[in-house]
Amino acid sequence: MRVPRWQNWWRRVSIDGVNRPTIRDIAKAAGISPGAASFALNDRDGVSEETRAKVKRIADEMGWTRNVAAVALSARQARAVGLVIARSEESFTGERFFMQFIAGVERILSARSRNLVLRFATSVEEEVDTYRQWWAEHRVDGVILTDPRDDDPRPTLLADLQLPGVVVGAQSQSTLPTLRVNDGAAMERLVDHFADLGHRRLAHVSGSPDLLHTQRRREAFEKRCEERGVVALPPSSTDFSEESGRAATWALISSQEPPTGIIFDNEVLVFGGVVAIVEASLSIPDQVAIATFEDTPMCRIVRPQITAMVRDPAELGRHAAEALLDAIDGRPVSGRTEPTMELIVRGSTDPEA
């Protein structure tokens, strides 16, 4: 009888002294993600019965046993949820989205006598270490993940820790419940708006290129520009700070073939862009039109007022908190797609608005 390759591998690992299999080991042997393996072992929806049976069989053959300490801890709730924001302080304090999002989360948690544990991190690695610390200290019962990215280590870690979580952001392949935001559709609306006004050279000032929402917006930007016969200038990535928005805008408007329109990923970047445009003594929107993905009162106070995509971050926060509390309480949680943002046209793109 042929011995499965994973069994030989597991015997070698055991010989080296690592004799307690983890969910990650089982997932590797089964050829699936750790999150899917966790779903199968915990009899949760999201995997087929065939996969569930296969995973449980491999777990039995490996001698896997449930982490009794983890189960005991999970039965004693901390009555708190965690949120780590891996952004610079400058970006966070100026960005309305997170302030409103946290307010929405807090509204649901307060109504259910739960607390929010908030932490800032300078990197994904620091964010991951924070989750490990919270789990070890039993500080939180679950976490909300924002800014999904390429090769995101966080869902796998939560599966290993058996710590409930929800993902908020661009569509991803995560096994965790996801509140999906259709960034592509919003970008298409913006490009159509500029194209309808006669623009033929557009630029996109974005955040970090490893973030999925940046990628989805960029993909939609280039595709829609091609469909509308508009030149899409090369990406201008930033760290979401006002200064990086100013620098990216200055580079664009001082080039030999500058854009006639610029789309910014948030209000912090767009105000940095306004500074650069004013410094260059250019007129908005006659010489360069601008729009942003995030609306704020400041967008309506400045002159000309700034065209923006509008959504309700507080509502998104409420939905995230409700989904996470359901997951913590063991209720089935399915992902949902949030409504597409609404375009509000103002004077920064259309002088007649």
Side-chain angles (χ1 to χ4, degrees):
M1 178 177 173
R2 184 180 178 184
V3 177
R5 184 181 299 175
W6 72 262
Q7 288 190 359
N8 289 328
W9 163 76
W10 179 247
R11 286 169 181 164
R12 289 196 299 272
V13 172
S14 297
I15 290 172
D16 291 336
V18 183
N19 54 15
R20 182 187 177 115
T22 66
I23 289 180
R24 189 187 296 271
D25 298 325
I26 297 168
K28 181 177 180 181
I32 60 177
S33 70
S38 176
F39 280 14
L41 291 170
N42 289 288
D43 292 319
R44 294 177 59 186
D45 295 335
V47 296
S48 67
E49 290 305 316
E50 180 181 359
T51 298
R52 193 185 313 280
K54 177 182 178 181
V55 169
K56 289 187 175 183
R57 174 177 55 78
I58 291 174
D60 288 341
E61 292 172 351
M62 280 187 168
W64 178 81
T65 56
R66 197 173 301 277
N67 189 324
V68 177
V71 172
L73 282 174
S74 65
R76 189 179 73 252
Q77 290 194 350
R79 302 199 64 78
V81 304
L83 173 63
V84 180
I85 299 176
R87 294 281 186 92
S88 68
E89 291 183 7
E90 180 184 358
S91 169
F92 171 78
T93 55
E95 191 171 352
R96 171 180 175 269
F97 172 84
F98 277 114
M99 302 296 288
Q100 295 294 317
F101 179 80
I102 290 171
V105 171
E106 268 291 315
R107 179 173 179 179
I108 298 301
L109 297 183
S110 296
R112 303 191 189 181
S113 300
R114 305 273 182 142
N115 296 316
L116 175 64
V117 181
L118 178 64
R119 181 79 58 87
F120 292 93
T122 58
S123 66
V124 176
E125 291 74 23
E126 184 180 347
E127 181 178 352
V128 165
D129 288 341
T130 298
Y131 297 139
R132 290 195 179 98
Q133 178 185 359
W134 281 348
W135 177 84
E137 298 174 354
H138 197 56
R139 291 282 304 282
V140 300
D141 302 316
V143 297
I144 298 172
L145 304 183
T146 62
D147 287 340
R149 61 193 69 224
D150 278 336
D151 301 320
D152 200 329
R154 299 173 299 172
T156 298
L157 173 67
L158 297 189
D160 285 347
L161 298 178
Q162 298 182 40
L163 183 65
V166 297
V167 180
V168 177
Q171 299 183 26
S172 67
Q173 301 302 315
S174 171
T175 55
L176 295 175
T178 301
L179 277 67
R180 296 174 291 275
V181 177
N182 196 339
D183 292 277
M187 177 60 84
E188 290 173 356
R189 290 187 180 183
L190 279 169
V191 172
D192 284 342
H193 172 62
F194 278 91
D196 290 343
L197 291 171
H199 291 271
R200 290 296 175 261
R201 290 180 62 80
L202 294 180
H204 173 212
V205 176
S206 71
S208 175
D210 67 330
L211 298 179
L212 290 185
H213 79 260
T214 299
Q215 296 172 21
R216 300 295 181 266
R217 292 177 184 183
R218 186 67 201 180
E219 291 164 0
F221 174 75
E222 294 178 348
K223 183 174 183 293
R224 199 61 158 189
C225 281
E226 181 179 4
E227 293 171 348
R228 294 300 303 266
V230 175
V231 175
L233 297 184
S236 297
S237 300
T238 71
D239 63 2
F240 289 111
S241 68
E242 181 179 327
E243 175 54 32
S244 66
R246 188 202 69 80
T249 304
W250 184 264
L252 288 167
I253 61 179
S254 60
S255 63
Q256 290 185 344
E257 295 184 285
T260 60
I262 306 175
I263 297 171
F264 294 86
D265 262 3
N266 67 22
E267 74 279 16
V268 178
L269 295 175
V270 80
F271 288 123
V274 168
V275 171
I277 293 168
V278 170
E279 289 175 343
S281 299
L282 296 178
S283 173
I284 302 172
D286 298 330
Q287 292 172 289
V288 57
I290 58 175
T292 175
F293 256 88
E294 299 291 345
D295 191 29
T296 69
M298 281 298 296
C299 290
R300 301 186 292 276
I301 293 173
V302 298
R303 292 295 182 270
Q305 295 182 337
I306 298 175
T307 293
M309 300 301 295
V310 177
R311 59 175 166 180
D312 186 355
E315 181 179 29
L316 186 60
R318 292 192 292 271
H319 292 166
E322 289 168 346
L324 180 57
L325 292 180
D326 283 343
I328 290 171
D329 293 338
R331 291 188 289 270
V333 182
S334 59
R336 59 175 290 167
T337 299
E338 296 295 314
T340 301
M341 305 176 205
E342 179 185 359
L343 174 63
I344 302 297
V345 178
R346 301 189 180 113
S348 69
T349 57
D350 185 352
E352 298 182 1

